[in-house]
Amino acid sequence: MTQMTRTSNPPLTTPITGGVGESPLRPDGALKVRGEFAYSSDLWADNMLWGVTLRTPHPYARIRSIDVGPALALPGVYAALTHEDVPGQNAYGLEHIDQPVLAVDVVRYQGEAVAIVAADHPETARRAAAAIVVDYEVLEPVDNAETAIFGEGVPKLHEGGNLVRYVPILFGDQDATAEVVVSGTYEVGMQDQAFLGPESGMAVPAEDGGVDLYVATQWLHVDQQQIAPALNLPQDKVRITLAGVGGAFGAREDLSMQVHACMLALHTNKPVKMVYTREESFFGHVHRHPAVMHYEHGADRDGKLVYVRAKMFLDGGAYASSTGAVVANAATLGVGPYNVPNVKIEGWGAYTNNPPCGAMRGFGAVQACFAYESQMDKLAEAIGVDPVEIRLRNALSEGSVMPTGQLVDSAAPVRELMERVRDKPMPPARTSEVDIRTMPGGASNTTHGEGVVRGVGYGVGIKNICFSEGFDDYSTARVRLEVIGGEPVAMVHTAAVEVGQGLVTLQAQIARTELGVQRVTIQPADTSVGSAGSTSASRQSYVTGGAVQSACAAVRAEVFDLARERFGVSDLALEGGKVVSASRGVLADLSDVLGDRAVEHTREYRHRPSFPIDPLTGQGNAHVQYGFAAHRAVVDVDVDLGLVRVVELACAQDVGKAMNPDAVIGQIQGGSAQGLGLAVMEEIQLSGAKIRNPSFTDYLIPTILDMPPMTIDVLELADPNAPYGLRGVGEPPTISSTPAIVAAIRDATKLALKRIPVRPEHITGT
Amino acid sequence: MRTFSYVRADDVDAALRAITDEPNAKFLGGGTNLVDLMREDIERPDTVVDITRLPLAEVEELPDGGVRIGALLRNSHLAAHPVIRSRYPMVAQAVLSGASGQLRNMATVGGNLMQRTRCLYFYDDAAACNKREPGSGCAAIGGFSRSHAVLGASASCAATHPSDLCVALAALDAIVELRSSRGTRRVPLVDFHRMPGDTPEIETVLADDELITAVELPPPPSGVSRYRKVRDRASYAFALVSVAAALDVQDGVVSSIRLALGGVGTKPWRAYQAERALLGAPATEESFRAAARAELADAVSLPHNEFKIRLAESTIVAVLRGMS
């Protein structure tokens, strides 16, 4: 990793520490490790009530009647509310307003909220919810995306039918032919974000008739925009403050308990806290879209791609959530980071009675990458070259054109990323004196090396960074500089959500670098400042980072005005708490210049605009920035017992600028682990549109024994369009780790493995 | 969770009196399974009798070379005990391959025997389950059946027994000691758990007024012993297939064999048919495979668990090959 060079030489002042490019300790780190961090589930108010949700056990049913009488009859119960009690619009949604706050006459997925209860004890509330009598007419669920759209006699789950969005991408010659053709159908199971902090928050009724909501979420203002109409309140009477977030990964982008808690609080005029149980959490948030993808790649005899054709079906479940954008991502990024002259990709997002699917780290790019990378390996085999070589021959680069017609106008080091992971030294071969925990089967004493075959596989992926397709994607920052206790202190206030990725730390780093002050305080994120947009799409360092930088620049400019007035020089800088001049050196302490004045500015930051894609051809400059990562996976497979041990993951990623190198490494490790989970174990098991494994005992995520050591190369090829040249980090490593691991298992077993997660029975057969 | 009374017993007689007086009572050991099931509203005792202070947590060496393990010994202490580790390594391996360090620190030997299935439908109170609601049917048969049993299932139930320890105990001919106000009786571990038949809700031969006080292990079988477990991730997961084996080979011939299976049976599955096939047979891969097939000849699969039959065969062969 390159080192950041800072300030002038020699320094005029004692430089501040913990600026951009450094890795200061995060303020929440020690608290979290010690179990002292206050999560949203720890909220407490005197006199509060507990809210509980009654959910339907049926994936699809008509509601004939709901009787809350038995719940209200229980002592300690303050409210039992149904759709009739929703004060305003009984509907919300991120892209389509299609999901009821509480079900009216139909439920469309198992776990849909039907009624809510508040009581003076959580157990009382649970019993009251269980006492509510709902009479259902159970219907046969629609549980397949393709059937939902194209099947005959399939019930329409929503008024407009079962198609959420169709996205075609037509580029070049649709009838192109090629000498070498490979095809395959690939499937991705439903992955869960598996955050550890369940959905939770507390709503407090306010004297002005409004409500204050403290909640773990990903995007305060989009919550506010959806909650206010449901409560029939103006937006400024729904004030939201971020509570401690225990992970998100996309699962908190949609509403969960927000409106329910507010309804109960306004109804009872008491604070109401809601905390989902782990099981309930599986029904309380959207998941990653399961996908079925049919691919055909055509190439010349040298392996240069001639065309890619694909049809991809993504199961959006019962409500749209962000399915439309996920389908667009899968389709627009559907050929991967490769130059392809002729493309025909069609993506469909469907309504079914499966659990709703929406945002999850990688957002459509994950599913497509598993398919196109599997195809690239198949093509390499057909041509007779190695998997790295086929990728190098087709690698996208700066100046390439995407199948949407969009020019790739900043660094796209696909070739270099591949070469870097290829050239990493291989992990040592197994020896007989190996710790069995490092063998397939882990701590289970399953093998001591017999029947174990090693495999190596590669994957490289592409992800759009920031919101796409013309969305007005911005963030707002308020920065205040004043003297506190004789020292200049910067205060940064945004509505940007810290989900554990380190944004609070980064905002302080930016303020330190921009204002040359050591002390920075970060205000709690709330809706009293303008929107920061979502903590998703790998966008917060870029967009909120840009807003903080821009607000700092406005503050600095005002300080310079003061300094110019006083010292009559204009070659000014802020360094180490001093106002300095390039020509005259240190002019004064910043605190002197500020006096008792507070300099404060609020700025919005927008990245360059993106544009909608043509609905018939998929052409358009839909994306803002592309991120790339490549992985090499080395696996040991016990071919007799179907067990996989990922021995090592090597990753190379371009991050434009490592704003906080430790956080970058953390994102790459965490993203790679989440990709490993999808490759070999993580799946919400559905049967009859019902979730069969809603617990962390039955929904398996990787443990530290499943996660191998990583070698990581971080490239810093600046994007001139982005603040500090940075490129969003969070999602790309999730995308390419999955296909690399599956490719390595294929290399060891010679099996086709067209579905993820790969389980023991897929390796052993039946 | 429903309300319940809590009683703490200071000695075995008090515990037995408490359970006799109260028909719908449960003993509380480590609570790692019972409390979970109470939270899920699957276990609904009116009274919980806390027996954790009873003096039943010793490992005692017996004159015949066996050991007597107190029923309240914590799993982590069992796995760490020098006598267990040296003479019955299979037991220590089985315990250590189950659950997590935190759970093993709490869970007791007696509780392990009483552990209930992790069948996904048993835990889903909206699904039919004969074990949870006798007579309601079995949603697993015809549902998602990947984790289910291929040996010992009935038309009423195909749930697997979840224990690792019990598989090792089955292989070692362990004896369970049961006490009640009527006296003490000794039941072989292999007879302690029942086949589901038409009454899958009755899982053991333990009477309502009985307490498990100890598990006795006869002197260890000759040769080497091992416990191996195949599961979906490297730790913290139930077995897809597990094998407990003790093997002695003299002059290339199997002179002693104990074999038991986990993850595939409705109870800890002693593989008698495989043992019969192996005893006196040459210690070769062919014999191991033939024995495994003999045991699995009666296996019946559901739509999603067919793989377990082949996986069980492969695991048996791999374990025996590794020991011979």
Side-chain angles (χ1 to χ4, degrees):
Chain A
M1 203 177 303
T2 60
Q3 288 298 310
M4 158 113 184
T5 48
R6 293 194 47 253
T7 65
S8 48
N9 189 22
L12 297 164
T13 61
T14 310
I16 55 121
T17 59
V20 166
E22 298 175 54
S23 299
L25 279 183
R26 42 189 302 163
D28 54 336
L31 293 172
K32 283 176 174 169
V33 171
R34 286 200 301 256
E36 292 167 355
F37 183 81
Y39 290 99
S40 53
S41 51
D42 297 319
L43 289 161
W44 193 271
D46 287 344
N47 212 21
M48 72 180 180
L49 304 176
W50 277 263
V52 162
T53 313
L54 174 69
R55 299 174 183 279
T56 176
H58 309 294
Y60 191 30
R62 246 166 241 306
I63 297 176
R64 294 198 192 98
S65 64
I66 307 172
D67 180 6
V68 297
L72 289 169
L74 290 176
V77 173
Y78 281 71
L81 308 180
T82 69
H83 65 91
E84 292 178 351
D85 304 298
V86 177
Q89 167 182 295
N90 183 16
Y92 67 92
L94 285 174
E95 293 179 12
H96 300 274
I97 299 174
D98 64 351
Q99 184 158 2
V101 172
L102 290 168
V104 182
D105 52 0
V106 63
V107 288
R108 298 185 177 86
Y109 72 99
Q110 180 199 20
E112 182 163 354
V114 175
I116 46 176
V117 169
D120 59 7
H121 189 280
E123 190 55 35
T124 305
R126 268 192 282 279
R127 288 176 195 186
I132 294 172
V133 180
V134 186
D135 184 16
Y136 293 105
E137 177 194 348
V138 177
L139 305 170
E140 190 62 31
V142 179
D143 64 358
N144 176 284
E146 196 170 345
T147 311
I149 298 171
F150 295 110
E152 286 192 17
V154 176
K156 281 188 183 178
L157 302 177
H158 291 268
E159 225 167 66
N162 296 340
L163 177 66
V164 181
R165 191 175 179 190
Y166 167 67
V167 178
I169 307 291
L170 306 178
F171 184 69
D173 176 7
Q174 303 313 301
D175 301 317
T177 57
E179 288 174 291
V180 182
V181 175
V182 292
S183 61
T185 294
Y186 303 92
E187 280 186 54
V188 178
M190 184 183 285
Q191 188 180 21
D192 188 60
Q193 296 85 348
F195 54 51
L196 293 185
E199 292 83 349
S200 47
M202 182 164 66
V204 183
E207 281 182 4
D208 66 354
V211 64
D212 291 286
L213 177 65
Y214 302 83
V215 66
T217 184
Q218 280 183 243
W219 186 357
L220 295 168
H221 285 80
V222 87
D223 281 10
Q224 187 187 38
Q225 282 163 26
Q226 295 172 94
I227 297 166
L231 298 176
N232 201 23
L233 287 174
Q235 271 190 34
D236 61 6
K237 287 202 170 176
V238 178
R239 293 164 293 261
I240 309 179
T241 302
L242 184 69
V245 182
F249 311 105
R252 293 186 210 273
E253 207 167 46
D254 295 78
L255 294 182
S256 58
M257 45 60 66
Q258 284 91 329
V259 182
H260 298 161
C262 291
M263 278 174 64
L264 291 168
L266 291 169
H267 190 90
T268 60
N269 203 30
K270 284 172 178 292
V272 174
K273 171 173 170 170
M274 295 184 86
V275 181
Y276 287 2
T277 64
R278 174 62 58 202
E279 177 180 355
E280 186 177 19
S281 175
F282 275 87
F283 301 99
H285 61 255
V286 299
H287 312 287
R288 188 188 299 292
H289 290 75
V292 177
M293 299 165 288
H294 310 281
Y295 264 78
E296 183 178 300
H297 279 57
D300 67 19
R301 293 217 174 274
D302 294 328
K304 288 278 265 187
L305 287 167
V306 176
Y307 69 83
V308 172
R309 290 178 201 134
K311 292 176 192 285
M312 39 179 74
F313 296 90
L314 283 86
D315 186 343
Y319 295 101
S321 179
S322 46
T323 293
V326 169
V327 173
N329 265 15
T332 57
L333 306 172
V335 304
Y338 302 113
N339 291 309
V340 190
N342 307 297
V343 175
K344 180 178 183 183
I345 290 181
E346 294 172 284
W348 289 267
Y351 283 122
T352 67
N353 293 117
N354 284 325
C357 289
M360 182 175 172
R361 195 179 200 171
F363 203 82
V366 163
Q367 293 91 329
C369 187
F370 171 60
Y372 64 68
E373 286 298 85
S374 298
Q375 283 283 100
M376 292 305 281
D377 285 341
K378 217 170 187 182
L379 184 61
E381 199 181 342
I383 302 288
V385 299
D386 76 57
V388 175
E389 181 58 30
I390 198 82
R391 289 168 170 84
L392 296 180
R393 287 183 191 178
N394 292 286
L396 196 78
S397 55
E398 186 169 352
S400 292
V401 175
M402 293 290 286
T404 54
Q406 183 165 15
L407 179 71
V408 178
D409 62 358
S410 71
V414 177
R415 166 174 282 276
E416 184 178 354
L417 297 173
M418 282 308 302
E419 288 170 342
R420 277 176 177 259
V421 294
R422 178 195 64 193
D423 295 342
K424 287 277 168 201
M426 278 290 175
R430 274 178 290 106
T431 63
S432 52
E433 290 304 307
V434 72
D435 179 346
I436 63 151
R437 289 173 301 178
T438 66
M439 300 296 287
S444 315
N445 195 30
T446 305
T447 178
H448 290 248
E450 64 281 5
V452 173
V453 183
R454 182 156 286 190
V456 180
Y458 295 86
V460 58
I462 179 170
K463 177 67 181 50
N464 56 321
I465 308 297
C466 299
F467 278 33
S468 295
E469 295 189 81
F471 188 86
D472 183 22
D473 194 17
Y474 69 97
S475 182
T476 316
R478 180 168 72 91
V479 173
R480 180 185 175 95
L481 184 61
E482 63 191 317
V483 178
I484 299 174
E487 218 186 313
V489 178
M491 181 282 298
V492 179
H493 184 197
T494 72
V497 170
E498 166 78 60
V499 296
Q501 83 280 37
L503 186 64
V504 162
T505 313
L506 182 64
Q507 292 180 63
Q509 290 179 249
I510 291 171
R512 287 192 196 104
T513 291
E514 296 299 330
L515 298 174
V517 298
Q518 189 63 52
R519 282 180 59 196
V520 181
T521 58
I522 306 294
Q523 289 279 101
D526 61 31
T527 49
S528 72
V529 65
S531 177
S534 178
T535 295
S536 63
S538 308
R539 65 177 281 289
Q540 282 298 25
S541 297
Y542 192 133
V543 188
T544 292
V548 174
Q549 184 189 32
S550 159
C552 287
V555 167
R556 191 176 52 215
E558 189 175 330
V559 173
F560 287 170
D561 287 345
L562 296 173
R564 242 191 319 272
E565 240 168 64
R566 189 159 145 192
F567 303 106
V569 289
S570 54
D571 52 352
L572 293 164
L574 298 180
E575 283 180 22
K578 316 272 187 198
V579 179
V580 299
S581 151
S583 50
R584 289 171 47 193
V586 174
L587 298 173
D589 282 349
L590 176 55
S591 43
D592 268 3
V593 175
L594 286 169
D596 54 7
R597 185 191 319 253
V599 179
E600 177 176 318
H601 288 279
T602 300
R603 286 290 180 274
E604 281 182 1
Y605 176 83
R606 282 175 168 74
H607 55 64
R608 60 181 177 157
S610 64
F611 299 91
I613 50 170
D614 183 292
L616 298 178
T617 64
Q619 298 299 295
N621 290 338
H623 298 312
V624 177
Q625 185 187 52
Y626 294 109
F628 304 91
H631 279 85
R632 182 189 70 193
V634 179
V635 303
D636 279 345
V637 183
D638 181 329
V639 291
D640 284 343
L641 306 185
L643 297 168
V644 174
R645 164 74 193 180
V646 182
V647 175
E648 188 206 66
L649 280 172
C651 180
Q653 182 172 345
D654 171 32
V655 302
K657 164 74 186 171
M659 301 289 285
N660 180 320
D662 281 359
V664 166
I665 296 296
Q667 285 292 320
I668 293 173
Q669 290 173 333
S672 301
Q674 209 153 21
L676 182 153
L678 179 61
V680 295
M681 65 183 79
E682 289 191 41
E683 184 176 8
I684 290 181
Q685 300 284 1
L686 294 171
S687 162
K690 290 186 175 186
I691 297 179
R692 291 303 172 198
N693 54 344
S695 74
F696 284 160
T697 303
D698 302 306
Y699 180 91
L700 303 185
I701 57 176
T703 69
I704 197 66
L705 285 180
D706 298 284
M707 185 61 195
M710 289 192 69
T711 62
I712 296 171
D713 275 9
V714 175
L715 273 62
E716 297 184 277
L717 307 174
D719 178 348
N721 300 300
Y724 305 99
L726 72 85
R727 200 174 287 281
V729 176
E731 291 171 292
T734 307
I735 295 166
S736 47
S737 96
T738 306
I741 291 164
V742 177
I745 303 171
R746 287 193 194 106
D747 182 46
T749 62
K750 310 304 171 203
L751 294 166
L753 303 177
K754 294 182 170 184
R755 187 183 195 283
I756 46 175
V758 175
R759 299 182 188 288
E761 60 264 39
H762 302 138
I763 294 169
T764 61
T766 51
Chain B
M1 195 186 281
R2 294 171 189 237
T3 53
F4 60 91
S5 308
Y6 170 88
V7 179
R8 191 164 69 212
D10 293 324
D11 57 49
V12 171
D13 289 336
L16 293 174
R17 273 197 304 278
I19 202 107
T20 309
D21 293 347
E22 171 51 67
N24 189 24
K26 289 270 178 190
F27 291 125
L28 177 72
T32 55
N33 192 217
L34 177 65
V35 175
D36 256 9
L37 290 167
M38 287 170 68
R39 288 202 180 109
E40 299 279 341
D41 202 29
I42 296 165
E43 292 281 11
R44 303 168 178 180
D46 293 327
T47 302
V48 165
V49 182
D50 183 344
I51 53 171
T52 51
R53 299 201 176 180
L54 305 191
L56 299 173
E58 300 299 314
V59 173
E60 193 184 328
E61 292 186 65
L62 301 174
D64 68 353
V67 294
R68 184 175 188 278
I69 302 163
L72 287 168
L73 186 69
R74 308 284 177 174
N75 280 191
S76 48
H77 290 159
L78 175 65
H81 199 281
V83 174
I84 300 297
R85 284 164 63 196
S86 60
R87 283 198 235 154
Y88 304 95
M90 174 205 291
V91 169
Q93 289 167 7
V95 169
L96 292 175
S97 73
S100 62
Q102 294 91 330
L103 287 168
R104 293 194 295 266
N105 285 343
M106 291 299 290
T108 62
V109 169
N112 198 299
L113 268 57
M114 296 303 291
Q115 212 182 144
R116 306 202 70 190
T117 184
R118 190 67 206 182
C119 172
L120 305 173
Y121 295 89
F122 178 67
Y123 273 81
D124 175 6
D125 62 7
C129 174
N130 289 319
K131 212 181 245 309
R132 181 168 29 77
E133 295 285 343
S136 63
C138 173
I141 299 171
F144 180 66
S145 51
R146 180 174 183 265
S147 68
H148 289 79
V150 293
L151 292 169
S154 70
S156 298
C157 185
T160 49
H161 194 271
S163 171
D164 291 297
L165 171 61
C166 288
V167 179
L169 297 180
L172 293 170
D173 283 334
I175 303 289
V176 188
E177 184 186 275
L178 308 175
R179 284 260 312 263
S180 72
S181 52
R182 292 166 287 126
T184 300
R185 64 176 178 137
R186 293 157 56 79
V187 177
L189 185 282
V190 291
D191 297 330
F192 180 77
H193 298 99
R194 291 164 43 108
M195 300 282 268
D198 296 332
T199 53
E201 74 278 12
I202 307 173
E203 294 173 350
T204 68
V205 300
L206 188 78
D208 285 346
D209 62 348
E210 279 182 313
L211 170 68
I212 303 171
T213 45
V215 172
E216 277 186 27
L217 295 178
S222 60
V224 287
S225 81
R226 192 161 291 170
Y227 185 81
R228 286 199 184 178
K229 178 172 177 179
V230 178
R231 51 182 161 179
D232 284 314
R233 69 178 168 192
S235 188
Y236 306 164
F238 290 96
L240 296 171
V241 172
S242 68
V243 172
L247 174 71
D248 200 4
V249 176
Q250 302 290 339
D251 303 327
V253 170
V254 175
S255 60
S256 167
I257 175 70
R258 305 284 189 79
L259 196 65
L261 306 175
V264 291
T266 51
K267 58 181 266 185
W269 198 265
R270 179 72 178 264
Y272 288 114
Q273 298 190 66
E275 290 180 4
R276 272 195 291 275
L278 276 171
L279 198 61
T284 61
E285 176 145 353
E286 291 68 38
S287 302
F288 302 151
R289 194 166 296 281
R293 287 184 176 163
E295 189 64 43
L296 294 160
D298 297 333
V300 177
S301 64
L302 293 166
H304 307 108
N305 67 358
E306 195 186 352
F307 75 97
K308 282 191 176 183
I309 299 174
R310 179 152 159 195
L311 188 58
E313 178 187 317
S314 303
T315 311
I316 293 168
V317 172
V319 168
L320 296 176
R321 190 175 49 208
M323 295 166 72
S324 60

